[in-house]
């Protein structure tokens, strides 16, 4: 083989490698962004549940604080119903181990 035959093969292999590398980088970056958004959502749900549970423990103070963020929570009964709703919503992003364990608790 002479140099004129090898050069097109080298250029073709570099081009395919670049395309595969770019696709791999895009795929991993996109997956990282999805996991970051998922983590932020989990954190938001966790903080919401903590506020609701603190309101349940100390209704006089907690209910006034909760009303600042959620005007629909007028009574402690509303808070209890919201806690039940959040309990079932927490299974959306839970690991399979958590789902299996908690399915026995319900």
């Amino acid at each position: 083989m002479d140099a004129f035959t090898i050069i097109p093969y080298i250029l073709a292999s570099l081009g395919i490698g670049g395309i595969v590398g770019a696709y791999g980088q895009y795929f991993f970056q996109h997956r990282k962004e999805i996991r970051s958004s998922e983590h932020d959502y989990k954190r938001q749900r966790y903080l919401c549940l903590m506020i609701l549970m603190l309101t349940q423990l100390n209704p006089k103070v907690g209910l006034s604080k909760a009303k600042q963020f959620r005007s629909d929570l007028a009574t402690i009964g509303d808070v209890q119903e919201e806690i039940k709703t959040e309990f079932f919503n927490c299974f959306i992003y839970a690991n399979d181990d958590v789902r299996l364990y908690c399915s026995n608790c319900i």
Side-chain angles (χ1 to χ4, degrees):
M1 291 190 144
D2 60 352
F4 293 110
T5 311
I6 296 175
I7 291 175
Y9 289 120
I10 292 173
L11 292 176
S13 65
L14 289 175
I16 293 171
I19 291 171
V20 170
Y23 176 75
Q25 185 177 8
Y26 167 78
F27 176 76
F28 288 118
Q29 182 65 28
H30 183 68
R31 188 174 176 140
K32 180 181 174 184
E33 289 172 5
I34 290 172
R35 287 189 183 201
S36 177
S37 312
E38 197 173 275
H39 177 73
D40 292 342
Y41 184 75
K42 286 179 186 181
R43 184 175 180 270
Q44 182 182 9
R45 299 291 0 130
Y46 175 75
L47 291 174
C48 175
L49 192 54
M50 291 300 296
I51 290 170
L52 291 171
M53 289 191 298
L54 288 171
T55 302
Q56 177 72 26
L57 291 173
N58 191 352
K60 192 180 289 184
V61 175
L63 200 53
S64 64
K65 296 285 185 185
K67 283 182 182 180
Q68 293 176 354
F69 300 103
R70 297 274 310 268
S71 60
D72 60 325
L73 299 175
T75 66
I76 197 67
D78 294 339
V79 172
Q80 290 171 347
E81 288 301 315
E82 191 66 23
I83 288 173
K84 287 179 188 176
T85 303
E86 287 296 330
F87 175 74
F88 290 111
N89 285 341
C90 73
F91 291 113
I92 294 172
Y93 291 104
N95 292 336
D96 291 337
D97 294 336
V98 173
R99 289 184 191 140
L100 181 63
Y101 178 76
C102 289
S103 67
N104 297 329
C105 302
I106 298 174

